[in-house]
Amino acid sequence: MTTLNRSTLPDDVRTNGATPNPWWANAVVYQIYPRSFQDSNGDGIGDLKGIASRLDYIADLGVDVIWLSPVYQSPQDDNGYDISDYQAIDPLFGTMEDMDELLEQAHARGIKVIMDLVVNHTSDEHAWFQESRDPNSDKADWYWWRPAREGKKPGEPGAEPNQWGSYFGGSAWQYDEQRGEYFLHQYSKKQPDLNWENPAVRKAVYDMMNWWMDRGIDGFRMDVITQISKVVDANGRLPGEPGSTIDDYPAGEEGYSSPYPFCSDGPRIDEFLKEMRREVFEKRGGYMNVGEAPGVDAVRNEFITDPANKELDMLFLFDHVGIDQGDSKWDIVKFDVRHLREQLKAQQEAVHDRGWASLFTCNHDQPRVVTRWGDDTSEEMRARSAKAFGMLIHLHRGTPYIYQGEELGMTGAHFTKLDQYRDLESINAYRQRVETAKVQSAESMMEALALFGRDNARTPMQWDGSKYAGFMAADAKGEPWLSVNPNHVEINAAAQFDDPDSVYTFYKKLVNMRHNSALVAAGEWELVDDDDERVYAFTRTLERTDGEGGQPERMLVVLNLSGKHAVLPASVTRLLERREHGVREEDIVLSTIDAIHSAKALSGGELSAWEGIVVQL
């Protein structure tokens, strides 16, 4: 199966260092959060048939790949990221036949499908875990089991093997009465961590992955994959365990230390990823694998995504989406363009010679960027800031990811009460920080949830202005699992589909540029100004490697990422002054306002609020 809507990057254009260039080097990925995308049966939860019914919309947008958040069988403690059977579809989303039909219909449109894969942990209802609860089982060592501390009563505070806390609140250890021991869970207590030190665990995972690849999917996005390797001492003890030779860090304000430094980008991660590639992917073609990478910095990204090292094609790094958070995720720090530029610069420069970057601001775990860093207080500013952040991400070097509704400029939920949230992380964090540890006021925590809570990205897709935004029938007896954003009346796909000035149309242009411009897809990236508090500017340059010479292609991207007018930095002005005829309307490749306005803005040296411009140099 070949993707139909992209030109092929010629071999004289360098991408990630592989030869020939990988098919995904000028592709665009669209993430679907199935429970919020399209409900086909009126039960309030999106499903596979609903996704299939919207494939023409996805094809019109022009993307090459859809990434499905988990649709496997699950108790849904963490909305499907707690998997109880990797080789079954949860009835909430449909059947395996529905999945096969979706694959067939997507492939017929030239769209590839990758599935979310969660193998750092399973559900506690998975058969593997249930067997592991028996210490005499052959799966007894498939999870991280530990006895209570000597002299402490099992199950009571202080008896845990070490003082690690879960990222979702409370202890990272849960006592199991049946086994008489604790198991480790970095996330929910219903998400026990798999023990990847055990070769049998790894083989079972690879067998399952091969089963899906044989069924016809095109690859995986692997959830928190860089947390599968843990730091242990020579005797296999975790930091802080009794007898361990590795000290834990001190407990924080909530009374726990964090497993993060010891469970992210651990000592065997390269070994495990190489083994996975060898056992699942090396014998195949046309696939794509991307890993969510907690704890991985830009330099490590270069190594892991270098094709010579045979690990992963791409990684999701998170330094740039943590710039507005303090010591805790729930500490609000004011958005600063300089901090964003610093992080994206590090990511771009690390893969200058080899490796590849994933480009994103939004996903199912990250709030809507137009509310987080943009401006959704008026329709004009919402549309402009949505376009500006789209331009920022899509004009960098790497593979862009669009999260459902981002192409419409969907906003945060603006919830004001805790009972409006459904996200386990948000609810647990409120209870832990406000009610148990008492380290944050209810008012500031609600403010943080409104900005960072994951449900901001999970409200139903806004297809039209009807009662439930077209996510489900307006006369359905039930209601959506999560409230529809009231602004769907104004912000929806139907209103934007044929509007030449809409955010949707702007995103179609960005996708088309990625497909048909080798300069956009793979040109070198260079920062123009590194200190301006409002303007983010960079160039893209493409020099062919065929030895025929000629002038390189070059473009300038300049963005005012603020709601105020901004003066062009001197470095940008100097670049533009080299042009013999100044900046003309026909030189403007793309603008968040219009070409006439942007040509005048560059000539006058001042950008309007959220004005972004691509100009050919």
Side-chain angles (χ1 to χ4, degrees), residues 436-554:
T436 302
K438 301 184 187 305
V439 296
Q440 193 162 352
S441 70
E443 294 75 18
S444 69
M445 189 65 193
M446 289 304 298
E447 183 182 358
L449 289 178
L451 192 60
F452 302 134
R454 299 191 299 179
D455 279 345
N456 285 291
R458 299 176 179 184
T459 55
M461 181 71 173
Q462 294 168 203
W463 295 107
D464 58 40
S466 63
K467 181 179 179 182
Y468 296 126
F471 165 71
M472 59 190 296
D475 59 355
K477 294 181 179 179
E479 292 187 352
W481 74 277
L482 184 66
S483 298
V484 173
N485 195 319
N487 64 23
H488 74 275
V489 176
E490 297 80 30
I491 305 169
N492 61 71
Q496 295 190 32
F497 196 78
D498 294 319
D499 180 355
D501 294 323
S502 69
V503 178
Y504 177 82
T505 301
F506 190 84
Y507 265 77
K508 287 185 66 173
K509 294 176 181 177
L510 291 171
V511 173
N512 186 62
M513 290 173 69
R514 175 73 44 172
H515 286 164
N516 298 302
S517 168
L519 171 63
V520 171
E524 301 297 341
W525 179 95
E526 185 177 2
L527 192 64
V528 174
D529 186 278
D530 64 358
D531 191 47
D532 197 275
E533 63 179 358
R534 296 179 188 171
V535 177
Y536 188 135
F538 55 92
T539 59
R540 301 296 308 280
T541 305
L542 182 67
E543 295 189 60
R544 303 282 182 165
T545 60
D546 57 8
E548 295 183 3
Q551 290 296 315
E553 295 180 63
R554 200 173 187 210

Side-chain angles (χ1 to χ4, degrees), residues 69 81 103 117 228 257 259 344 410 543:
S69 284
Y81 284 84
L103 284 172
L117 183 66
I228 59 178
S257 60
L344 292 181
M410 280 179 60
E543 295 189 60

Side-chain angles (χ1 to χ4, degrees), residues 3-4 33 35 55 58 64 147 199 210 298 331 366 369 458 486 494:
T3 302
L4 305 176
Y33 194 66
R35 66 169 46 231
L55 284 174
I58 295 170
D64 311 273
N210 275 306
D331 295 330
Q366 300 296 329
V369 70
R458 299 176 179 184

